Every structure is written in C-alpha cells, then in structure tokens.
Amino acid sequence: MSMLPMEQFRQFKNEITRFMMAYKFALDAIETKVEILKEEFHFFHDYNPIEHTSSRLKSPESILKKLYKKGCTISLDSIKDNIKDIAGIRITCSFLSDIYKIVEMLQNQSDLKILEVKDYIKRPKPNGYKSLHLLVEIPIYMSDRQENVCVEVQIRTIAMDFWASLEHKIYYKYNQAVPPRSLQELKEAADSAATLDLKMERLHNEIVEIKERRTVEVEEGLKIISDQQFQLPEAPLKLIGGRPRRRQLTWGGGGMNLQGRRSPFHEGQPHLTAGPYRLWCRTRGSRPPPSFPRDAPASLHHPAHWPPA
C-alpha cells in the first residue's frame, strides 16, 4: 500500500473519530443537565419526578444500515443531515404529568434548542407505543471549533417503558409484518399500561392533597391563641420551689404570672413566686446577705430589685 492511500485512510479515520466524539460529548452534556435536575429535586424538593435514565450511541454499523435503508449517500455530511438519533437519552418518570414538567424544564434552558417534538402519548403509534420524543440541539465546544449536535430525548413513564422494553425484546430482529392478532394484543397491553398510569397518578394526587390538608391543620394548631388559660402542672412548681397548689397561667397582652394577674415588676415577663430567698440561692449559687430575709416582701421577687451580693 502506497503512502498516499495510507495517509488518506488515517485522515478518514480521524474524521470519523472526531465526528462520533462530537455526539458522545453532546450526550454527556445532556446527561449532566438531567443529573443536575435529579440532584436538585433530591435536595430541595419532597418529590423527584425522574426515576432513572439510560443513554446510547449508535454504532457505525447501525448508522450505515440506516443510511442505506434511507437511500442516502455515504458521507459524514449525509449522516449528519439524515440521521438525527445517533445520540439518544431516555428519561423514565414516575407519572404522566412528570413528562411534561421535564419537557418544560428542558425548554427553559437557554443553550438547548428544541428542533422537533413528537408526542406519541397524545397520538400513540398503531401498536400502542407511547412516549414523548424531543430532538434537541446542543452546542459542543471543541479545542478548535464549536459544533451544534443533535440528541434525541425520549421521556416516558415506568409503565410505558415496561411495555416498550418487552415489545422490543419480543420482536427483536423480527423483520416481518406483525400478525394482526399479535398487533391487537400489543395494543390491549398498551391500553392496560395507560390505565395503570392514570390510576397511579390519581392515587398520587389524592395522597398529596391529604398531606397538604394535614400540614395546614398542624400549622393552624400551632398558632398562639390569645386570652386562653392553661393549667400549669404541679411537678414543675415543686422543682422551682413553689407550693404545690392549684395555679393558673394566664396569657394576655403584657406580663403574666401564676396568680392570673399581671406582674408588677417587668411587663411581658413570667415570674414564678418560688420565694425571693430560694430564687437568690438558685440563681446566684450562694446564700443572700443578712439584709435579705427569708420572708422577703413581694417587691423583692424580681432580681432587678435585689441588693448587691
């Protein structure tokens, strides 16, 4: 083999490698975007609509077969213009409404350009296949240039993915027309999966509403109700030195005390009549001076009125 053909072969190989790497990088960029959404929902929301994802890159053999089937010329430009699903990612969601939420999230990303939307959920295929397909264009920055690369995004529920995965396995490499009876059974199975989707989403919404109502009830129960009387248990009174007698704690605007009247010493603060002498011992860790009698008057109940230690 002469040097010229070898050099041409090496150049062609580099072009093919660079061509496929662009699609790989585009797929990596889309996967990163979806992973960011998953992480955000995990840390900041009570619910994550994305169950799992999977991705694939078509092999050169598969690309050439599809190109031949379409009757297109074999060249890199022809591949780029005629085959738009070289790179693909599948996003599996929990519920039907999650699909359109994710579509909206992707549409809001400024560096993604939505080229095409195929909604097989609203318009299923004859065999019952349901999914939502997006063809997006994302910029990829190479060392010497920028390329806009197409990626196919498939979004479906768990039930849709279950049906599609089994349908693919059943008819994998079955290059013939599907018998009418089998086609009807496939359609019935797809309808059953759709019914399951609707039922599970209805149950999900009911539970969400119940949780929201309970949250509102708890928040309302925690509000402070003014002008209410609460019975203070005797055990805390014994711990602080008070006499174990029936006392009521009245809540109102201003001070409060255990006798149901405002405190004359400091507005807005609770004062327990445990005795000034005992309060001194407990708060200061020492006995009061002789000028502070055990039967101190009520005016000494507040520490602000105590003499210096």
Side-chain angles (χ1 to χ4, degrees), residues 7-248:
E7 185 64 28
Q8 288 177 346
F9 176 78
R10 185 180 295 109
Q11 183 179 356
F12 179 73
K13 179 182 177 183
N14 291 338
E15 289 178 357
I16 289 287
T17 303
R18 183 180 288 271
F19 180 81
M20 293 303 296
M21 283 180 64
Y23 284 94
K24 179 186 181 301
F25 295 154
L27 193 57
D28 291 342
I30 294 291
E31 287 182 308
T32 300
K33 287 179 176 293
V34 176
E35 192 63 31
I36 288 173
L37 292 176
K38 288 176 64 178
E39 291 289 329
E40 179 190 357
F41 276 102
H42 176 72
F43 286 105
F44 298 106
H45 301 276
D46 295 333
Y47 167 69
N48 185 358
I50 302 174
E51 287 289 335
H52 55 84
T53 61
S54 59
S55 61
R56 62 104 180 96
L57 199 64
K58 276 186 178 296
S59 65
E61 180 185 6
S62 178
I63 293 173
L64 292 177
K65 283 184 178 179
K66 194 166 186 178
L67 202 64
Y68 177 77
K69 186 177 181 180
K70 288 188 172 185
C72 303
T73 59
I74 299 177
S75 67
L76 296 181
D77 290 336
S78 177
I79 293 173
K80 188 171 184 179
D81 293 338
N82 295 287
I83 301 181
K84 302 296 184 179
D85 61 343
I86 295 176
I89 182 172
R90 181 174 301 144
I91 304 173
T92 306
C93 304
S94 306
F95 303 104
L96 188 62
S97 58
D98 296 335
I99 294 176
Y100 297 97
K101 291 178 184 176
I102 293 173
V103 171
E104 185 179 0
M105 293 175 198
L106 294 177
Q107 287 175 337
N108 291 335
Q109 302 204 16
S110 59
D111 58 339
L112 282 183
K113 183 179 180 181
I114 308 297
L115 300 179
E116 187 179 18
V117 178
K118 293 182 179 179
D119 193 340
Y120 295 115
I121 299 173
K122 295 179 180 178
R123 295 176 295 277
K125 290 185 177 182
N127 64 350
Y129 174 84
K130 287 187 176 184
S131 183
L132 194 145
H133 293 193
L134 298 177
L135 185 63
V136 302
E137 188 178 70
I138 185 170
I140 298 300
Y141 299 93
M142 312 289 280
S143 61
D144 56 349
R145 66 185 183 274
Q146 172 192 331
E147 289 189 26
N148 295 322
V149 183
C150 290
V151 178
E152 185 187 52
V153 181
Q154 297 181 1
I155 313 174
R156 58 179 66 159
T157 63
I158 299 173
M160 295 175 190
D161 189 60
F162 167 78
W163 182 93
S165 298
L166 293 184
E167 188 270 346
H168 177 73
K169 282 191 174 183
I170 292 171
Y171 294 102
Y172 180 66
K173 292 187 177 181
Y174 181 79
N175 299 319
Q176 301 179 33
V178 179
R181 183 178 61 83
S182 299
L183 190 64
Q184 179 61 30
E185 290 185 356
L186 275 176
K187 181 67 170 58
E188 292 173 357
D191 292 340
S192 299
T195 302
L196 180 62
D197 264 336
L198 294 175
K199 181 178 292 187
M200 298 306 291
E201 182 152 17
R202 178 181 58 79
L203 292 172
H204 170 70
N205 292 335
E206 288 179 2
I207 297 301
V208 169
E209 291 178 2
I210 292 174
K211 288 180 179 179
E212 290 177 351
R213 285 200 302 268
R214 288 183 177 177
T215 301
V216 172
E217 292 173 358
V218 170
E219 290 177 351
E220 290 179 350
L222 292 177
K223 291 180 180 178
I224 297 177
I225 304 174
S226 60
D227 299 328
Q228 295 291 323
Q229 289 190 341
F230 302 91
Q231 183 69 36
L232 193 66
E234 294 183 353
L237 292 176
K238 292 180 180 180
L239 291 176
I240 61 175
R243 289 181 293 176
R245 66 185 183 186
R246 185 179 181 83
R247 304 184 183 197
Q248 286 186 336

Side-chain angles (χ1 to χ4, degrees), residues 246-258:
R246 185 179 181 83
R247 304 184 183 197
Q248 286 186 336
L249 181 64
T250 301
W251 296 79
M256 60 182 178
N257 60 20
L258 296 177

